Amino acid sequence: MNQEGHTGGHDHGAMIADFLRRFWVCLVLSVPVIAFSMMFQEVAGYHLDFPYRDWIVMSLATVIYFYGGWPFLTGLIGEIRRRQPGMMTLVAVAITAAYAYSMVVALGILPGMDFFWELATLIDIMLVGHYLEMKSVAGASHSLELIVKMLPSDAHLVNGDEIRDVKVDQLTIGDIVLVRPGERIPTDGEVVEGNSFVNESMLTGESVPVQKEQQDTVIAGGINGEGALKVKVTHQGADSYLNKVVKLIQEAQGAKSQTQTLADRAAGWLTLISLTVGVITLLFWLFSGKDTAFAVERMVTVMVTSCPHALGVAIPLVVAISTTISAQKGLLIRNRTAFEESRKITAMVFDKTGTLTEGQFGVTRVVSLVDQVDETALIRTATALEQQSQHPIAQGIVREAKTRNLAPLSISDFQSITGKGISATVDGKKVAVVSPGYLKENGIELPKGAYSSGAETVVFVLQDQQIIGFIALADTIRSNSKEAVQRLQEAGIKVYMATGDNQKVADAVAKELGLDGVFAEVLPDQKVRIVKDLQQKGQFVAMTGDGVNDAPALAQANVGIAVGSGTDVAAETADIILVNSNPTDITNLVEFGKATYRKMIQNLIWATGYNVVAIPLAAGVLYPNFVLSPALGAVLMSASTVIVALNAQLLKREIN
């Protein structure tokens, strides 16, 4: 049901309260209507009559019809304007037919017996049913509200020695804020002072608090641990990570997938069928010799029993839950159809660097070849030279020195050996860190055991043109990459890797991870051809890349998955974004997609099956053995929608 169509865009919480208020007022008014109704007295077996009884019942029923039925009557107008007749149309037509017929009988225009009491109970049940359903719908978006509420309203702005509290929306890029222990991070930023562990589980899905120190990024909404942090503001307002996440979730929940489009069409057709069957039912019983009251009652029951609303909410509720929980687990859904279709994936193509690997070189071996120099001295010597360079290999050696808490040595006469390495004077000795090409060019023999893995890059440390040792580095394979590959393969998915690295390095990584195939030395535009070739072989292909140079392949794939890190959630060509760049999140994506689709189908089957059974019963196919009353039909209709809503909520258990 589209509540906006008949509430003037009021807040969802206010609409829920309004339905409840109308229910209680109508319930109180219904007591005398039911008690004074001659039809109910006849059924209950007592007699109560007094002057103006009919006028009192008529007046109270009129108040109930207009006050209690107002949301449905205005909803009818909204649906007609949008040319999308639905649940409100059916309810409005049903209660209007019941009210009009009862008034005509009560005024003596037609013979028969009114059913004001059934009208009153029908409206009561419809109000409480819609109230319960709206409460269930509101629960589906509760997780998104929690995400929004994670951003604190105030921040401690640091201005020299002064610290003052300001509103978060008053911060500007470059401001420094203090985050005390236990507080939420007020803004996206970079740590400029302090050391602490930050819990970002509600933002990125990373269950373990992450250590943050100088130059590390933090995300608004994260919970600071026991250390104080000073953070420089880098994003604010709409550019903040949290706002981007909320926007992506809202876009995903607002967009329609193929499955929901099908459900919407089915709901629209069901409305038309219900109206048609209602009219046919009225005419059938009239021509069969039944009195007008019976025929009208059957028509009203058909209209209130049929439930296109269950079809209408079956998909959106599941999507609202799955997209929100996925975001909390580090999966941002931009394309709902692609998310639903992730269950069809038969081939997964990974980019290597930054996806299956860490995306930065780490030291794997340090080997000294002379007794006078141990591992520590070799690292310190190499670091003395490499700290001057921004090359990934150089940065890997510098990081290793920091990990070992080694202070750098002083150097002089620094020189770059173009394409071959660097040299400098360290403690009065000429030292160089060079590539294998330098050794070959200068006739220096390659030491035995220098290469133990095709995935390693080796640099050699020379002292006065003599090799004193070597350092092996590799783009380290992520600790959970192997698990991710195995889980995908267990799900029947072929796993491939496409990388610009040389064949030797690519083969080494592929062998260690047990991949089904590898494509090496490929350019970003060539990855598109790889995806197309797999698709032409009948594979349903997912491509995982960094969302920038892999954009063409992400767009070509059936499901494009961009790996982002921290605040980078702007991969426009991807269908789904992995916040953590964690390969196991991709396996979660496939499992979430299957669970979501399964829950959608369950709801569609229930909603469709209910109507197939309920509408004939309401029309009176089992008469005289069984007759479904309008009130009981309304109970069943409300129950069917609530059941769909509750079943959608069970998705939380499956994907949490």
Side-chain angles (χ1 to χ4, degrees):
M1 163 177 58
N2 186 346
Q3 298 293 348
E4 290 240 343
H6 60 89
T7 61
H10 288 175
D11 174 75
H12 195 69
M15 287 191 289
I16 294 175
D18 181 63
F19 267 93
L20 186 61
R21 182 170 55 253
R22 290 177 188 272
F23 164 71
W24 285 117
V25 171
C26 291
L27 183 64
V28 171
L29 296 178
S30 296
V31 173
V33 170
I34 295 171
F36 299 160
S37 170
M38 295 304 292
M39 181 181 286
F40 181 79
Q41 290 182 36
E42 190 175 297
V43 172
Y46 70 91
H47 183 72
L48 180 63
D49 199 7
F50 53 88
Y52 303 110
R53 178 194 60 79
D54 290 342
W55 288 101
I56 292 173
V57 170
M58 220 173 4
S59 299
L60 293 175
T62 299
V63 174
I64 292 171
Y65 169 71
F66 283 104
Y67 180 71
W70 187 252
F72 308 108
L73 297 173
T74 53
L76 162 68
I77 296 172
E79 290 181 348
I80 290 175
R81 283 176 177 170
R82 294 190 304 273
R83 298 181 181 179
Q84 293 178 337
M87 191 68 247
M88 290 299 173
T89 300
L90 289 177
V91 175
V93 170
I95 63 175
T96 300
Y99 174 72
Y101 173 76
S102 297
M103 286 295 289
V104 169
V105 171
L107 293 172
I109 299 173
L110 283 178
M113 189 173 288
D114 67 76
F115 42 89
F116 280 129
W117 75 276
E118 288 195 304
L119 171 68
T121 55
L122 174 59
I123 290 176
D124 292 343
I125 292 168
M126 295 303 296
L127 286 171
V128 75
H130 277 68
Y131 165 76
L132 293 173
E133 175 215 322
M134 290 171 71
K135 287 281 285 184
S136 299
V137 172
S141 60
H142 181 61
S143 297
L144 180 57
E145 292 171 8
L146 289 179
I147 292 179
V148 175
K149 291 177 181 177
M150 287 168 57
L151 191 62
S153 58
D154 297 316
H156 311 305
L157 179 64
V158 178
N159 188 2
D161 294 331
E162 179 190 359
I163 299 176
R164 60 189 179 92
D165 288 350
V166 299
K167 295 296 182 184
V168 170
D169 57 13
Q170 295 177 1
L171 295 174
T172 58
I173 293 174
D175 283 345
I176 305 296
V177 296
L178 173 67
V179 186
R180 297 186 175 112
E183 293 183 336
R184 286 194 181 274
I185 309 290
T187 177
D188 290 358
E190 178 183 315
V191 177
V192 294
E193 185 180 316
N195 189 315
S196 184
F197 282 85
V198 177
N199 185 343
E200 298 177 336
S201 58
M202 278 288 285
L203 298 160
T204 66
E206 178 61 60
S207 58
V208 180
V210 181
Q211 185 174 13
K212 301 291 183 179
E213 52 190 14
Q214 199 166 347
Q215 296 186 332
D216 285 340
T217 58
V218 291
I219 302 173
I223 302 174
N224 189 23
E226 297 181 355
L229 297 174
K230 285 187 178 179
V231 176
K232 181 173 71 175
V233 178
T234 57
H235 296 91
Q236 61 176 149
D239 292 329
S240 71
Y241 171 80
L242 196 60
N243 282 325
K244 286 180 179 178
V245 169
V246 171
K247 183 181 178 182
L248 283 172
I249 295 173
Q250 290 173 336
E251 287 176 352
Q253 292 178 355
K256 290 188 178 183
S257 66
Q258 295 174 352
T259 311
Q260 185 178 337
T261 299
L262 176 63
D264 288 347
R265 287 178 180 173
W269 277 106
L270 179 60
T271 301
L272 295 175
I273 290 171
S274 300
L275 289 170
T276 304
V277 171
V279 172
I280 292 173
T281 299
L282 172 68
L283 297 175
F284 173 82
W285 288 115
L286 286 175
F287 285 112
S288 296
K290 288 293 180 182
D291 58 52
T292 306
F294 181 87
V296 170
E297 185 181 77
R298 290 301 92 219
M299 178 188 72
V300 169
T301 307
V302 167
M303 291 181 180
V304 298
T305 303
S306 57
C307 190
H309 200 190
L311 275 171
V313 302
I315 304 304
L317 276 177
V318 174
V319 169
I321 292 168
S322 63
T323 51
T324 304
I325 294 179
S326 295
Q328 293 170 349
K329 301 280 187 185
L331 294 168
L332 302 184
I333 312 301
R334 295 187 68 248
N335 183 327
R336 273 181 45 192
T337 297
F339 174 57
E340 290 174 27
E341 292 190 338
S342 60
R343 73 189 190 281
K344 300 179 183 177
I345 295 172
T346 58
M348 179 73 70
V349 180
F350 281 100
D351 177 42
K352 180 181 78 70
T353 306
T355 307
L356 294 174
T357 64
E358 296 287 354
Q360 60 183 19
F361 280 93
V363 173
T364 55
R365 290 182 298 140
V366 180
V367 178
S368 174
L369 299 175
V370 296
D371 295 336
Q372 299 89 338
V373 180
D374 60 13
E375 279 190 22
T376 299
L378 196 65
I379 286 289
R380 287 190 74 195
T381 301
T383 301
L385 278 69
E386 298 289 17
Q387 64 183 335
Q388 305 291 325
S389 172
Q390 292 300 313
H391 192 280
I393 292 175
Q395 292 300 303
I397 294 173
V398 172
R399 278 192 298 271
E400 180 68 18
K402 286 183 178 179
T403 302
R404 300 188 183 205
N405 294 317
L406 302 179
L409 299 170
S410 59
I411 65 171
S412 60
D413 304 324
F414 178 84
Q415 291 182 337
S416 175
I417 308 170
T418 306
K420 301 291 191 304
I422 52 178
S423 68
T425 300
V426 181
D427 291 338
K429 298 172 182 175
K430 191 69 172 178
V431 176
V433 179
V434 299
S435 68
Y438 180 89
L439 300 185
K440 184 177 181 181
E441 187 178 282
N442 289 272
I444 302 173
E445 186 178 349
L446 199 70
K448 292 182 180 179
Y451 289 95
S452 63
S453 167
E456 288 182 332
T457 297
V458 181
V459 294
F460 301 88
V461 182
L462 307 183
Q463 185 173 291
D464 297 330
Q465 287 298 94
Q466 299 295 317
I467 299 179
I468 60 172
F470 58 85
I471 301 172
L473 304 95
D475 183 2
T476 312
I477 294 175
R478 291 184 183 274
S479 58
N480 46 22
S481 290
K482 192 172 184 66
E483 176 196 348
V485 170
Q486 289 176 341
R487 283 172 60 185
L488 289 169
Q489 290 172 332
E490 287 169 2
I493 298 172
K494 297 286 186 181
V495 183
Y496 303 91
M497 182 178 73
T499 177
D501 279 348
N502 63 65
Q503 191 71 51
K504 191 173 184 181
V505 171
D507 287 341
V509 173
K511 182 178 180 182
E512 184 169 345
L513 294 178
L515 303 180
D516 295 293
V518 61
F519 305 93
E521 301 176 27
V522 295
L523 298 174
D525 61 305
Q526 293 173 323
K527 293 178 182 178
V528 176
R529 174 50 54 192
I530 294 171
V531 172
K532 285 184 177 179
D533 288 344
L534 289 170
Q535 289 172 329
Q536 288 172 0
K537 293 176 182 177
Q539 302 280 10
F540 196 89
V541 183
M543 172 70 197
T544 304
D546 63 14
V548 181
N549 60 2
D550 293 319
L554 290 173
Q556 175 63 38
N558 300 98
V559 179
I561 305 168
V563 291
S565 55
T567 58
D568 181 18
V569 292
E572 293 298 324
T573 54
D575 302 308
I576 295 147
I577 300 166
L578 304 186
V579 176
N580 287 327
S581 307
N582 189 337
T584 54
D585 285 345
I586 297 173
T587 61
N588 291 337
L589 164 67
V590 176
E591 291 166 5
F592 286 7
K594 288 180 178 179
T596 298
Y597 185 76
R598 187 164 57 246
K599 193 60 66 177
M600 287 178 179
I601 295 303
Q602 288 174 4
N603 275 358
L604 287 176
I605 289 174
W606 165 260
T608 305
Y610 160 80
N611 284 288
V612 168
V613 174
I615 292 176
L617 288 177
V621 293
L622 295 182
Y623 178 83
N625 297 318
F626 176 77
V627 178
L628 189 67
S629 69
L632 181 56
V635 169
L636 293 176
M637 187 285 297
S638 298
S640 71
T641 308
V642 172
I643 288 171
V644 166
L646 292 176
N647 187 48
Q649 296 287 345
L650 293 177
L651 181 64
K652 292 179 180 178
R653 294 185 181 181
E654 295 187 29
I655 65 178
N656 254 327

